[in-house]
Amino acid sequence: VQLQASGGGLVQAGGSLRLSCTASGSNLDDYAIGWFRQAPEKEREGVSCISRNDASQYYADPVKGRFLISKDIAKNTVYLQMNGLRPEDTAVYYCVAWSPAYCSGYNLPARKDYWGQGTQVTVSS
């Protein structure tokens, strides 16, 4: 599967952005899809995940209540709606597909994962 992330940009604090992750070469719903981010000089962190058939979703504590992950099967696309953006949300955001197709499957040593290119999100104060 190939993943194409888009939707990043520059926004003021309190603003919103919607990231898109479009898959090609495979059915996106065969995988769990997650968003990770990495800010300069910080470790990469998981932000959100949606499992196959939307059976479960995960949000990291810093984004709970502000970010919403969703899926459009017809478009083979996963979205990350980001509201109430803060300067600390500034990072490169990556979408990732993995199997087994549930969110906690990312923690398995035997997982297979596929990364898209990142999209830059910059939040000004």
Side-chain angles (χ1 to χ4, degrees), residues 35-39 42-47 60 62-63 66-67 82 85 88-94 115:
W35 289 94
F36 289 73
R37 66 185 182 186
Q38 187 161 22
K42 291 188 176 181
E43 290 188 0
R44 186 175 65 203
E45 62 176 343
V47 175
V63 308
R66 299 188 296 123
F67 291 10
M82 306 187 297
L85 283 163
E88 54 263 40
D89 295 317
T90 295
V92 178
Y93 284 70
Y94 300 89
W115 288 72

Side-chain angles (χ1 to χ4, degrees), residues 3-111:
L3 303 174
Q4 178 74 37
S6 62
L10 173 64
V11 65
Q12 289 188 331
S16 298
L17 285 172
R18 188 178 78 162
L19 304 183
S20 299
C21 176
T22 300
S24 60
S26 187
N27 185 349
L28 186 143
D29 209 35
D30 288 340
Y31 305 90
I33 305 296
W35 289 94
F36 289 73
R37 66 185 182 186
Q38 187 161 22
E41 301 182 341
K42 291 188 176 181
E43 290 188 0
R44 186 175 65 203
E45 62 176 343
V47 175
S48 184
C49 170
I50 188 166
S51 66
R52 176 188 288 172
N53 297 326
D54 296 1
S56 66
Q57 297 181 8
Y58 162 83
Y59 297 93
D61 285 344
V63 308
K64 281 181 180 176
R66 299 188 296 123
F67 291 10
L68 179 67
I69 193 168
S70 63
K71 186 187 300 180
D72 187 330
I73 296 299
K75 295 183 178 180
N76 222 25
T77 299
V78 167
Y79 301 101
L80 186 68
Q81 178 67 42
M82 306 187 297
N83 301 320
L85 283 163
R86 304 167 179 169
E88 54 263 40
D89 295 317
T90 295
V92 178
Y93 284 70
Y94 300 89
C95 64
V96 188
W98 65 86
S99 58
Y102 48 91
C103 291
S104 60
Y106 187 79
N107 299 319
L108 298 175
R111 77 173 187 275

